[in-house]
Amino acid sequence: MTRCPKPRGECPGASSRGARLPAARSHAMHDHRRLGRELDLFDTDPLMGAGLPYWLPDGAIVRHALEEYVRDAERRAGYRHVYSPVLGKRELYEISGHWDHYGDDMFPPMDLGAEQVLLRPSLCPHHALIYRSRSRSYRELPLRMAELGGMYRSELSGVLGGLTRVRGITLNDAHIFCTLEQAVEEARAALELIGRAYADLGIRAHRYRLSLPGQGGKYVADPELWRRATALLREVLDDSGIPYEEAEGEAAFYGPKIDVQITDPAGRESTLSTVQIDFHQPERFDLHYIGPDGAKHRPVMVHRSVIGSVERAVAHLVEEHGGAFPPWLAPVQLAVLPVAQEQGEAADALAARARALGLRAEVAGPGQGTLAARIRAARLVPYQAVIGGREAAAGLVAVRLRDGSRLDALPAAELLRRIGDRVATRGTGLWDRP
């Protein structure tokens, strides 16, 4: 059973709308590192190493539901999914420019005979190789390639913390290979996909940032590349009607990007989602497609990430909702609470029916405390089904919602149908009122 981090009184984030508490109190109560341990979502071990958290069963449920949501949203948007290895030869990252411009954030090379391989710091070089694995026609474009893939960054121990700064990252990444004429529309569609995901997850963007290069040698030295890519991203933002700010020194080494900024309960800002237009890597990898004129043309590469790293996304969801996840993400969606031992069989049957329908249900029987104590312990669970003697005899359940609402007793089949419909439509609402 999902435990409430505040066992007496109201739980933080119990409202389905995720109302915020005053900043200082909210930060103390919603810190994802504390809640992650109290709710048995994730933990770390010194023998595994700093910045390498492991996921406990309830955390793994949240992560899996989030990953499946993203894959489904991408499939509906016309993306095709691939898998690529987390290792690559040093030469790969020399071609991409990561070795020269991003080497300080990469783990050292590993010698394998006469070759050197590295843990990848990014997925884009691998996707470029997949694209060029065979000849491409303009009729295939835009080609939208997506992956939830692992990557590694050599973060210093002093900056590691919880799930927000880790060394092993699972990135929700995608690369769209398209013509120059398609690039703005593809980037705009990526922003719309990010907006829909935020609505379903119950999170919000703090601001949008157009990240531009700064001074120094960490950026690719090609002024025309930067000018063209920046102009296209400004067009995307202006056409979308999204207010944004420009920030120098925040670009990727190979090009500008749109960063979707979020804030934690303490007001600290970070980047969750990105959209980029890249002319650099298609040139470095000599990517091309055959146009209607029969000649070779260079594609544009649009990078986009809907939820960024899975680790950071879960951390933000924990803090935003205080552990009271939207119903479709909750580790336990239905808590079945028999009043007495005599209703145990009916409770087990209801939980079994729920699980057969794909819902995550658990029984909390009298052996786990008084009914009031069990209700408090399940306060973060979206739905509670209380079965007393009268309900068991009539085949009904008394329904309590996480926000404190009590509904009229319902037949078990009706309750499960209503919960299933609500979970299937995702979003943050608890109940569809007739």
Side-chain angles (χ1 to χ4, degrees), residues 209-251:
R209 184 179 75 193
L210 178 57
S211 295
L212 304 173
Q215 300 299 317
K218 74 173 186 176
Y219 300 104
V220 170
D222 189 332
E224 178 61 15
L225 174 156
W226 290 96
R227 186 196 66 77
R228 294 171 67 202
T230 300
L232 291 175
L233 288 180
R234 283 201 180 103
E235 182 179 347
V236 170
L237 288 164
D238 292 340
D239 289 352
S240 299
I242 296 173
Y244 65 95
E245 302 170 17
E246 297 188 2
E248 293 186 358
E250 299 292 343

Side-chain angles (χ1 to χ4, degrees), residues 122 151 195 300 307 430:
S122 176
M151 55 187 241
V300 178
I307 60 165
L430 285 174

Side-chain angles (χ1 to χ4, degrees), residues 340-360:
Q341 293 289 357
E342 290 76 15
Q343 291 87 52
E345 185 174 337
D348 289 339
L350 176 61
R353 290 176 65 182
R355 288 192 287 266
L357 294 172
L359 299 174
R360 298 185 287 273

Side-chain angles (χ1 to χ4, degrees), residues 5-6 10-15 17-39 41-42 164 204 263-268 314-325 380:
K6 188 183 179 189
E10 185 64 22
C11 285
S15 167
R17 289 185 288 273
R20 285 184 179 273
L21 298 166
R25 184 177 173 218
S26 175
H27 175 233
M29 296 170 65
H30 285 212
D31 185 279
H32 82 277
R33 293 166 296 183
R34 182 181 68 82
L35 285 175
R37 287 168 174 81
E38 292 185 1
L39 299 178
L41 300 178
F42 68 91
T164 55
R204 51 194 175 272
T263 55
D264 67 13
R268 293 173 299 210
V314 171
H316 188 64
L317 286 165
V318 170
E319 296 190 343
E320 182 74 20
H321 299 294
F325 297 104
L380 297 183

Side-chain angles (χ1 to χ4, degrees), residues 36-60:
R37 287 168 174 81
E38 292 185 1
L39 299 178
D40 287 334
L41 300 178
F42 68 91
D43 212 331
T44 57
D45 190 287
L47 285 178
M48 291 188 190
L52 298 169
Y54 58 85
W55 297 80
L56 295 162
D58 279 357

